Amino acid sequence: MPETAATGFSALFALGVRVGDALAARGETVAVAESSAGGLVSAALLARPGASAYYLGGAVVYTRRAVRRLTALTPADSVGIRSSSLPWARLLARHQRQRFRATWAIAETGAAGPDGNPYGDPPGHTCLAVAGPVEADRLLQTGECGRAANMLAFACAALALLEEALTAAPPANPAEASEGLADPRR
């Protein structure tokens, strides 16, 4: 593996462990929906031993077929919303949070490259959203065509957005934990 890729993956997994530490310390949970990151967001969150305390599940919703089969979204849920957009990322994050009964959810949708997507977005374009006690979203344009590098950048940006939301969130609510919202076994 080239040294730059190894360094990038080390940084990604370190960020995943740090976010996992924060979730575990708060007694909170997370669910994931990602497309162009190809599972790297989930992989980074699972890199921490004891990840089952906070990671409830995730889906790589790379195609329309995957969205139909891996989510409970209906065509009516996304009327007027196109993929690779901030509204789509917000919809996915909110859906995953509700579906998994998670404290938090993160969604990513974009165009890794080397070409743009059918919607006219260039390679290196992704939209990120966090749903939870704090909601946030972000558009990222790397300006790069390299698929693997973009996938890595997308995953790092998604986890960084979640980390920012966790930092901005009020302390965890013990009542929610007692209702099972933070219990990964439910």
Side-chain angles (χ1 to χ4, degrees), residues 12-13 16-17 32 34 38-48 55 159:
L12 172 66
F13 288 123
V17 168
V32 178
E34 56 190 305
L40 291 176
V41 174
S42 291
L45 287 167
L46 291 168
R48 179 187 179 275
Y55 182 86
L159 289 169

Side-chain angles (χ1 to χ4, degrees), residues 1-133:
M1 178 183 322
E3 189 166 326
T4 56
T7 302
F9 280 107
S10 293
L12 172 66
F13 288 123
L15 179 55
V17 168
R18 198 167 62 236
V19 169
D21 286 345
L23 288 164
R26 294 173 61 92
E28 296 176 342
T29 57
V30 67
V32 178
E34 56 190 305
S35 75
S36 302
L40 291 176
V41 174
S42 291
L45 287 167
L46 291 168
R48 179 187 179 275
S52 60
Y54 58 84
Y55 182 86
L56 298 183
V60 178
V61 290
Y62 191 73
T63 63
R64 286 185 185 139
R65 177 181 285 180
V67 170
R68 285 192 310 271
R69 298 196 189 268
L70 298 174
T71 73
L73 290 170
T74 68
D77 294 326
S78 59
V79 169
I81 302 174
R82 75 166 179 89
S83 185
S84 296
S85 68
L86 287 171
W88 180 245
R90 287 189 296 265
L91 175 67
L92 285 172
R94 290 171 182 156
H95 170 75
Q96 289 297 82
R97 182 179 185 219
Q98 180 181 9
R99 187 164 192 221
F100 281 88
R101 297 193 67 209
T103 315
W104 299 93
I106 183 111
E108 175 277 327
T109 177
D115 300 315
N117 63 26
Y119 311 105
D121 301 312
H125 162 98
T126 196
C127 296
L128 311 164
V130 169

